[in-house]
C-alpha cells in the first residue's frame, strides 16, 4: 500500500486506539500476550488490516480469540476513532519474528565443514590483500623517493 503522511498518521492513530482497547476492555486470556506489529487502514477507512505477533504455538488460539472478539473490538474502535465509518477488521499473524529467529538459528548452527572452508577462504583473502597492500606501499615508496630526488635535482639546477 502506498504510504503518505496522512495514511501513516491514520494507521498510527488506529493502532494506538486498538492497542488501548485490547489492554483495557478485552479480557480474553488468549489475547494477553500479543503485540500489534502493524496496522493498515484503507484510504476510504472501510478496511483495517491488523498484524499481530504472538508465540508460534498459539497462532490458532489467538486467531480464534480475535474472531470471537471481532464484533466487540469493532464497536469499541468505532466509538474511539469517531470516523464516519467503522472499518472492518481483518487480523493476520505477523511471522517475521519467527522467520528472523529461524535465520539466526541457521546462522549459528553452521556445520563445521562449512566453517573451516569459509575460514580458510577468508584467511587466504586477507593474506592476498595484505600482500597486495604491502606491494602497493613499497611501490609508492619508490615512486615518492624518485619524485623527491627529481624535485631536488630541479632545485639544484636553478
Amino acid at each position: 500500500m502506498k504510504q503518505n503522511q496522512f495514511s501513516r498518521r491514520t494507521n498510527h492513530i488506529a493502532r494506538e486506539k486498538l492497542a488501548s482497547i485490547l489492554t483495557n476492555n478485552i479480557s480474553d486470556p488468549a489475547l494477553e500476550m500479543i503485540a500489534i506489529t502493524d496496522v493498515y487502514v484503507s484510504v476510504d477507512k472501510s478496511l483495517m488490516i491488523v498484524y499481530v505477533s504472538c508465540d508460534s504455538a498459539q497462532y490458532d488460539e489467538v486467531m480464534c480469540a480475535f474472531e470471537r472478539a471481532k464484533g466487540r473490538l469493532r464497536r469499541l474502535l468505532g466509538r474511539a476513532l469517531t470516523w464516519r465509518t467503522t472499518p472492518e477488521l481483518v487480523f493476520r499473524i505477523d511471522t517475521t519474528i519467527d522467520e528472523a529467529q529461524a535465520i539466526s538459528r541457521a546462522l549459528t548452527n553452521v556445520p563445521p565443514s562449512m566453517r573451516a572452508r569459509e575460514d580458510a577462504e577468508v584467511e587466504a583473502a586477507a593474506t592476498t590483500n595484505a600482500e597486495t597492500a604491502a606491494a602497493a606501499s613499497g611501490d609508492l615508496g619508490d615512486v615518492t623517493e624518485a619524485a623527491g630526488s627529481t624535485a631536488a635535482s630541479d632545485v639544484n639546477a636553478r
Side-chain angles (χ1 to χ4, degrees), residues 44-76:
D44 62 352
K45 298 180 181 175
S46 65
L47 179 68
M48 181 188 310
I49 301 173
V50 181
Y51 290 92
V52 295
S53 178
C54 63
D55 187 28
S56 60
Q58 296 178 331
Y59 284 165
D60 295 331
E61 183 181 349
V62 168
M63 287 307 292
C64 289
F66 273 121
E67 287 300 317
R68 287 191 308 265
K70 187 184 282 190
R72 180 176 164 97
L73 283 171
R74 187 173 182 202
R75 186 177 72 242
L76 293 170

Short mmCIF file of all heavy atoms in Angstrom, two decimals, residues 44-76:
data_model
loop_
_atom_site.label_atom_id
_atom_site.label_comp_id
_atom_site.label_asym_id
_atom_site.label_seq_id
_atom_site.Cartn_x
_atom_site.Cartn_y
_atom_site.Cartn_z
N ASP A 44 -10.37 4.74 2.14
CA ASP A 44 -11.74 5.12 2.48
C ASP A 44 -12.13 4.71 3.90
O ASP A 44 -13.27 4.88 4.31
CB ASP A 44 -12.73 4.54 1.48
CG ASP A 44 -12.72 3.01 1.46
OD1 ASP A 44 -11.85 2.41 2.12
OD2 ASP A 44 -13.58 2.44 0.78
N LYS A 45 -11.18 4.17 4.64
CA LYS A 45 -11.35 3.76 6.04
C LYS A 45 -12.42 2.69 6.23
O LYS A 45 -13.01 2.58 7.30
CB LYS A 45 -11.65 4.97 6.93
CG LYS A 45 -10.53 5.99 6.94
CD LYS A 45 -10.87 7.16 7.80
CE LYS A 45 -9.74 8.16 7.76
NZ LYS A 45 -10.04 9.36 8.48
N SER A 46 -12.63 1.88 5.22
CA SER A 46 -13.61 0.80 5.34
C SER A 46 -12.98 -0.52 5.75
O SER A 46 -13.68 -1.45 6.13
CB SER A 46 -14.35 0.61 4.02
OG SER A 46 -13.44 0.18 3.01
N LEU A 47 -11.67 -0.62 5.68
CA LEU A 47 -10.97 -1.86 5.99
C LEU A 47 -9.72 -1.55 6.79
O LEU A 47 -8.97 -0.63 6.47
CB LEU A 47 -10.58 -2.60 4.71
CG LEU A 47 -9.81 -3.90 4.85
CD1 LEU A 47 -10.70 -4.98 5.46
CD2 LEU A 47 -9.28 -4.35 3.51
N MET A 48 -9.50 -2.34 7.84
CA MET A 48 -8.29 -2.21 8.65
C MET A 48 -7.66 -3.59 8.77
O MET A 48 -8.28 -4.52 9.27
CB MET A 48 -8.61 -1.67 10.05
CG MET A 48 -7.38 -1.49 10.90
SD MET A 48 -7.69 -1.07 12.64
CE MET A 48 -8.80 0.29 12.51
N ILE A 49 -6.45 -3.70 8.29
CA ILE A 49 -5.70 -4.96 8.40
C ILE A 49 -4.75 -4.80 9.58
O ILE A 49 -3.93 -3.88 9.61
CB ILE A 49 -4.93 -5.28 7.12
CG1 ILE A 49 -5.90 -5.38 5.94
CG2 ILE A 49 -4.14 -6.57 7.27
CD1 ILE A 49 -5.22 -5.53 4.60
N VAL A 50 -4.88 -5.71 10.54
CA VAL A 50 -4.10 -5.65 11.78
C VAL A 50 -3.15 -6.84 11.81
O VAL A 50 -3.59 -7.99 11.72
CB VAL A 50 -5.02 -5.67 13.01
CG1 VAL A 50 -4.20 -5.59 14.29
CG2 VAL A 50 -6.06 -4.57 12.94
N TYR A 51 -1.85 -6.56 11.91
CA TYR A 51 -0.85 -7.62 12.03
C TYR A 51 -0.47 -7.77 13.50
O TYR A 51 -0.09 -6.78 14.14
CB TYR A 51 0.39 -7.28 11.20
CG TYR A 51 0.13 -7.37 9.71
CD1 TYR A 51 -0.27 -6.25 8.99
CD2 TYR A 51 0.25 -8.57 9.04
CE1 TYR A 51 -0.53 -6.32 7.64
CE2 TYR A 51 0.00 -8.65 7.69
CZ TYR A 51 -0.39 -7.52 7.00
OH TYR A 51 -0.65 -7.61 5.65
N VAL A 52 -0.59 -8.98 14.00
CA VAL A 52 -0.28 -9.24 15.40
C VAL A 52 0.82 -10.29 15.49
O VAL A 52 0.95 -11.16 14.64
CB VAL A 52 -1.53 -9.72 16.20
CG1 VAL A 52 -2.56 -8.62 16.27
CG2 VAL A 52 -2.13 -10.96 15.59
N SER A 53 1.60 -10.18 16.53
CA SER A 53 2.68 -11.11 16.78
C SER A 53 2.42 -11.81 18.11
O SER A 53 1.99 -11.18 19.08
CB SER A 53 4.01 -10.37 16.84
OG SER A 53 5.06 -11.25 17.13
N CYS A 54 2.67 -13.11 18.13
CA CYS A 54 2.49 -13.88 19.35
C CYS A 54 3.41 -15.10 19.28
O CYS A 54 4.14 -15.28 18.31
CB CYS A 54 1.03 -14.30 19.52
SG CYS A 54 0.42 -15.37 18.22
N ASP A 55 3.33 -15.93 20.30
CA ASP A 55 4.11 -17.16 20.33
C ASP A 55 3.63 -18.08 19.21
O ASP A 55 2.43 -18.20 18.96
CB ASP A 55 3.95 -17.83 21.70
CG ASP A 55 4.85 -19.03 21.87
OD1 ASP A 55 5.93 -19.06 21.23
OD2 ASP A 55 4.48 -19.94 22.63
N SER A 56 4.55 -18.73 18.53
CA SER A 56 4.18 -19.56 17.38
C SER A 56 3.28 -20.73 17.77
O SER A 56 2.53 -21.23 16.94
CB SER A 56 5.43 -20.07 16.68
OG SER A 56 6.21 -20.84 17.56
N ALA A 57 3.32 -21.17 19.00
CA ALA A 57 2.47 -22.27 19.44
C ALA A 57 1.01 -21.83 19.63
O ALA A 57 0.12 -22.66 19.72
CB ALA A 57 3.00 -22.87 20.73
N GLN A 58 0.78 -20.52 19.67
CA GLN A 58 -0.56 -20.01 19.95
C GLN A 58 -1.23 -19.36 18.74
O GLN A 58 -2.23 -18.67 18.90
CB GLN A 58 -0.49 -18.98 21.08
CG GLN A 58 -0.04 -19.54 22.39
CD GLN A 58 0.04 -18.46 23.45
OE1 GLN A 58 0.28 -17.29 23.14
NE2 GLN A 58 -0.19 -18.84 24.69
N TYR A 59 -0.73 -19.56 17.53
CA TYR A 59 -1.31 -18.91 16.36
C TYR A 59 -2.80 -19.18 16.21
O TYR A 59 -3.60 -18.25 16.07
CB TYR A 59 -0.60 -19.35 15.09
CG TYR A 59 0.77 -18.74 14.86
CD1 TYR A 59 1.63 -19.27 13.93
CD2 TYR A 59 1.19 -17.63 15.57
CE1 TYR A 59 2.88 -18.72 13.71
CE2 TYR A 59 2.44 -17.07 15.37
CZ TYR A 59 3.28 -17.62 14.43
OH TYR A 59 4.50 -17.07 14.21
N ASP A 60 -3.19 -20.45 16.25
CA ASP A 60 -4.59 -20.81 16.05
C ASP A 60 -5.47 -20.27 17.17
O ASP A 60 -6.56 -19.75 16.93
CB ASP A 60 -4.75 -22.33 15.94
CG ASP A 60 -4.07 -22.89 14.69
OD1 ASP A 60 -3.99 -22.14 13.69
OD2 ASP A 60 -3.62 -24.04 14.72
N GLU A 61 -5.00 -20.39 18.39
CA GLU A 61 -5.76 -19.91 19.54
C GLU A 61 -5.98 -18.40 19.49
O GLU A 61 -7.08 -17.91 19.75
CB GLU A 61 -5.02 -20.29 20.83
CG GLU A 61 -5.74 -19.93 22.11
CD GLU A 61 -4.94 -20.30 23.34
OE1 GLU A 61 -3.92 -21.03 23.22
OE2 GLU A 61 -5.33 -19.85 24.42
N VAL A 62 -4.94 -17.66 19.10
CA VAL A 62 -5.05 -16.21 19.01
C VAL A 62 -6.00 -15.80 17.88
O VAL A 62 -6.83 -14.90 18.05
CB VAL A 62 -3.65 -15.57 18.83
CG1 VAL A 62 -3.74 -14.11 18.44
CG2 VAL A 62 -2.84 -15.72 20.10
N MET A 63 -5.91 -16.47 16.75
CA MET A 63 -6.81 -16.14 15.63
C MET A 63 -8.27 -16.43 15.99
O MET A 63 -9.16 -15.65 15.66
CB MET A 63 -6.40 -16.90 14.38
CG MET A 63 -5.13 -16.36 13.74
SD MET A 63 -5.16 -14.58 13.40
CE MET A 63 -6.37 -14.50 12.12
N CYS A 64 -8.52 -17.54 16.69
CA CYS A 64 -9.89 -17.84 17.14
C CYS A 64 -10.37 -16.78 18.14
O CYS A 64 -11.54 -16.37 18.08
CB CYS A 64 -9.95 -19.23 17.77
SG CYS A 64 -9.78 -20.56 16.58
N ALA A 65 -9.51 -16.34 19.03
CA ALA A 65 -9.88 -15.32 20.01
C ALA A 65 -10.20 -14.00 19.31
O ALA A 65 -11.15 -13.31 19.69
CB ALA A 65 -8.76 -15.13 21.02
N PHE A 66 -9.44 -13.65 18.29
CA PHE A 66 -9.74 -12.42 17.55
C PHE A 66 -11.07 -12.54 16.79
O PHE A 66 -11.82 -11.58 16.70
CB PHE A 66 -8.61 -12.06 16.58
CG PHE A 66 -7.54 -11.23 17.21
CD1 PHE A 66 -6.23 -11.67 17.24
CD2 PHE A 66 -7.82 -10.00 17.77
CE1 PHE A 66 -5.23 -10.91 17.81
CE2 PHE A 66 -6.83 -9.23 18.35
CZ PHE A 66 -5.54 -9.68 18.37
N GLU A 67 -11.35 -13.71 16.26
CA GLU A 67 -12.63 -13.91 15.57
C GLU A 67 -13.80 -13.77 16.55
O GLU A 67 -14.84 -13.22 16.21
CB GLU A 67 -12.67 -15.28 14.88
CG GLU A 67 -11.81 -15.35 13.65
CD GLU A 67 -12.20 -14.34 12.58
OE1 GLU A 67 -13.41 -14.15 12.32
OE2 GLU A 67 -11.29 -13.72 12.01
N ARG A 68 -13.62 -14.29 17.77
CA ARG A 68 -14.67 -14.15 18.78
C ARG A 68 -14.87 -12.70 19.20
O ARG A 68 -15.98 -12.25 19.45
CB ARG A 68 -14.33 -14.99 20.02
CG ARG A 68 -14.49 -16.47 19.85
CD ARG A 68 -14.39 -17.19 21.19
NE ARG A 68 -13.20 -16.84 21.96
CZ ARG A 68 -12.06 -17.54 21.96
NH1 ARG A 68 -11.97 -18.62 21.21
NH2 ARG A 68 -11.04 -17.17 22.70
N ALA A 69 -13.78 -11.95 19.30
CA ALA A 69 -13.84 -10.58 19.82
C ALA A 69 -13.98 -9.53 18.71
O ALA A 69 -14.05 -8.34 19.02
CB ALA A 69 -12.59 -10.29 20.63
N LYS A 70 -14.05 -9.95 17.47
CA LYS A 70 -14.05 -9.00 16.35
C LYS A 70 -15.20 -8.00 16.42
O LYS A 70 -15.01 -6.80 16.22
CB LYS A 70 -14.11 -9.76 15.03
CG LYS A 70 -13.94 -8.87 13.82
CD LYS A 70 -14.10 -9.63 12.53
CE LYS A 70 -12.86 -10.41 12.23
NZ LYS A 70 -12.86 -11.00 10.88
N GLY A 71 -16.41 -8.45 16.73
CA GLY A 71 -17.56 -7.56 16.80
C GLY A 71 -17.43 -6.52 17.90
O GLY A 71 -17.67 -5.33 17.69
N ARG A 72 -17.04 -6.97 19.07
CA ARG A 72 -16.86 -6.03 20.19
C ARG A 72 -15.72 -5.06 19.92
O ARG A 72 -15.83 -3.87 20.21
CB ARG A 72 -16.61 -6.82 21.48
CG ARG A 72 -16.41 -5.93 22.69
CD ARG A 72 -16.26 -6.73 23.96
NE ARG A 72 -15.70 -5.94 25.01
CZ ARG A 72 -16.43 -5.33 25.95
NH1 ARG A 72 -17.72 -5.47 25.94
NH2 ARG A 72 -15.84 -4.61 26.88
N LEU A 73 -14.62 -5.57 19.36
CA LEU A 73 -13.49 -4.69 19.03
C LEU A 73 -13.91 -3.63 18.02
O LEU A 73 -13.56 -2.45 18.16
CB LEU A 73 -12.33 -5.50 18.47
CG LEU A 73 -11.49 -6.29 19.46
CD1 LEU A 73 -10.53 -7.21 18.73
CD2 LEU A 73 -10.73 -5.36 20.37
N ARG A 74 -14.68 -4.03 17.02
CA ARG A 74 -15.11 -3.08 16.01
C ARG A 74 -16.02 -2.01 16.61
O ARG A 74 -15.90 -0.82 16.28
CB ARG A 74 -15.81 -3.82 14.87
CG ARG A 74 -16.13 -2.92 13.71
CD ARG A 74 -16.67 -3.68 12.54
NE ARG A 74 -16.90 -2.75 11.45
CZ ARG A 74 -17.72 -2.96 10.45
NH1 ARG A 74 -18.37 -4.10 10.37
NH2 ARG A 74 -17.88 -2.06 9.52
N ARG A 75 -16.94 -2.42 17.46
CA ARG A 75 -17.84 -1.46 18.10
C ARG A 75 -17.05 -0.46 18.97
O ARG A 75 -17.25 0.75 18.88
CB ARG A 75 -18.89 -2.19 18.93
CG ARG A 75 -19.95 -1.26 19.51
CD ARG A 75 -21.03 -1.99 20.26
NE ARG A 75 -20.52 -2.50 21.52
CZ ARG A 75 -20.45 -3.79 21.84
NH1 ARG A 75 -20.86 -4.71 21.01
NH2 ARG A 75 -19.96 -4.17 23.00
N LEU A 76 -16.16 -0.97 19.81
CA LEU A 76 -15.37 -0.09 20.67
C LEU A 76 -14.42 0.81 19.86
O LEU A 76 -14.22 1.97 20.19
CB LEU A 76 -14.58 -0.91 21.68
CG LEU A 76 -15.41 -1.65 22.74
CD1 LEU A 76 -14.54 -2.62 23.52
CD2 LEU A 76 -16.10 -0.67 23.65
#
